[in-house]
């Protein structure tokens, strides 16, 4: 790393990997892993508008991502359909709108991301977002687990399931938003999916599962960024990170097969 901005970018990517591992573990247990992949696409219309009108793509992505999250939550409440179905509807509309709005020359960056150097204020904001994600998961862990294994008991103990689901969706969206900078809208959800699936194959013990998911996520991110910087500077780091994550998962399959 040749500059402070590059170091900030690298450290924030690793912090995002920790958050993605935690959120992905809960999402796997809630059977929402595939939802993470489509949630990141909800940011596309905002990113497209940002490129079109020349303002920060993260601001545009944040606006549509969180509006989409609230829309999914409201539709789920009013229609009674599963979260996955609501996410699918919003996802399809978001991809179409985003593809229509994003200038062609900016499409690759919007979809696959690019490693950016960071200013100190941007790094501090990103770090604060990651710490908030970790705090929310830690604070709500008991309620989340209770709602997973016994929704009736959770409701009986005054856990507001609808509000709890909103908090998790917002935390989920914030995690994706932090990853948009270097993973892009197409791949930000992948670092939520693959490390959690890998961690689950390594252990069934809950604390060990959380640690394993985070460790796989951090290792894949660090290796992906280092490989891209050292040997493949012409590539965006997002695809390399996802490929390495997939190789880790494949290793668990081979281990179990042996």
């Amino acid at each position: 790393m040749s500059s402070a901005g590059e170091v900030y970018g690298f450290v924030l990517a690793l912090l995002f990997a920790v958050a993605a591992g935690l959120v992905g573990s809960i999402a796997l247990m809630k059977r929402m892993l595939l939802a993470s992949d489509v949630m990141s696409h909800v940011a596309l219309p905002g990113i497209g508008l940002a490129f079109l009108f020349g303002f920060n793509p993260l601001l545009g992505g944040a606006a549509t991502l969180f509006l989409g999250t609230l829309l999914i939550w409201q539709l789920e409440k009013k229609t009674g359909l599963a979260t996955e179905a609501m996410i699918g509807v919003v996802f399809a509309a978001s991809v179409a709108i985003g593809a229509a709005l994003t200038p062609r020359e900016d499409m690759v960056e919007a979809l696959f991301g690019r490693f950016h150097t960071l200013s100190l204020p941007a790094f501090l904001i990103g770090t604060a977002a990651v710490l908030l994600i970790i705090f929310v998961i830690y604070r709500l862990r008991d309620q989340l687990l209770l709602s997973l294994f016994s929704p009736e008991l959770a409701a009986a103990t005054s856990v507001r399931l609808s509000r709890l689901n909103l908090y998790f969706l917002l935390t989920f969206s914030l995690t994706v938003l932090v990853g948009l900078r270097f993973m892009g809208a197409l791949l930000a959800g992948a670092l939520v999916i693959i490390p959690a699936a890998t961690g689950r194959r390594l252990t069934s013990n809950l604390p060990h599962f959380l640690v394993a998911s985070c460790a796989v996520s951090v290792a894949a991110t660090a290796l992906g960024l280092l490989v891209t910087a050292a040997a493949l500077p012409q590539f965006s780091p997002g695809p390399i990170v996802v490929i390495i994550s997939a190789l880790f998962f494949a290793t668990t399959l081979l281990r179990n097969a042996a």
Side-chain angles (χ1 to χ4, degrees):
M1 300 291 166
S2 58
S3 70
E6 289 178 334
V7 173
Y8 292 151
F10 184 79
V11 172
L12 184 58
L14 297 184
L15 291 174
F16 159 69
V18 174
L22 288 174
V23 171
S25 299
I26 302 295
L28 185 147
M29 290 187 287
K30 287 174 69 68
R31 299 183 179 180
M32 281 181 58
L33 267 191
L34 289 180
S36 66
D37 192 36
V38 299
M39 281 286 282
S40 60
H41 294 68
V42 176
L44 269 177
I47 294 173
L49 286 171
F51 280 126
L52 199 60
F53 293 106
F55 60 92
N56 191 322
L58 280 181
L59 294 178
T64 54
L65 186 58
F66 286 105
L67 283 174
T69 299
L70 293 174
L71 177 60
I72 289 165
W73 180 64
Q74 283 295 327
L75 288 173
E76 180 190 12
K77 284 176 61 180
K78 293 184 182 302
T79 65
L81 292 176
T83 303
E84 292 86 347
M86 293 299 95
I87 289 175
V89 172
V90 176
F91 157 73
S94 299
V95 170
I97 295 170
L101 291 175
T102 306
R104 183 173 299 178
E105 61 272 18
D106 296 313
M107 183 62 76
V108 172
E109 182 176 341
L111 292 177
F112 298 105
R114 183 167 62 88
F115 184 78
H116 295 268
T117 58
L118 290 180
S119 64
L120 180 59
F123 170 72
L124 293 176
I125 291 171
T127 301
V130 171
L131 292 177
L132 177 61
I133 292 164
I134 295 171
F135 172 77
V136 170
I137 294 297
Y138 176 79
R139 186 70 180 268
L140 298 179
R141 67 192 188 284
D142 293 335
Q143 295 180 43
L144 286 167
L145 292 175
L146 184 60
S147 68
L148 287 173
F149 297 113
S150 180
E152 296 80 9
L153 180 58
T157 55
S158 301
V159 174
R160 298 184 178 181
L161 295 177
S162 178
R163 183 177 296 182
L164 182 65
N165 195 36
L166 173 62
Y167 290 157
F168 182 72
L169 284 173
L170 288 172
T171 305
F172 203 121
S173 298
L174 183 59
T175 306
V176 169
L177 179 64
V178 175
L180 283 178
R181 179 179 293 273
F182 74 101
M183 295 291 288
L186 193 62
L187 297 176
L191 209 60
V192 177
I193 297 171
I194 303 176
T198 305
R200 183 64 184 84
R201 290 194 63 83
L202 292 173
T203 179
S204 58
N205 177 280
L206 180 60
H208 295 168
F209 170 40
L210 295 174
V211 171
S213 299
C214 292
V216 170
S217 184
V218 169
T221 300
L223 285 172
L225 291 175
L226 291 174
V227 167
T228 304
L232 302 168
Q234 71 275 25
F235 287 93
S236 299
I240 306 302
V241 170
V242 174
I243 289 170
I244 292 173
S245 298
L247 289 175
F248 284 155
F249 179 75
T251 301
T252 67
L253 297 178
L254 293 174
R255 189 197 69 165
N256 289 350

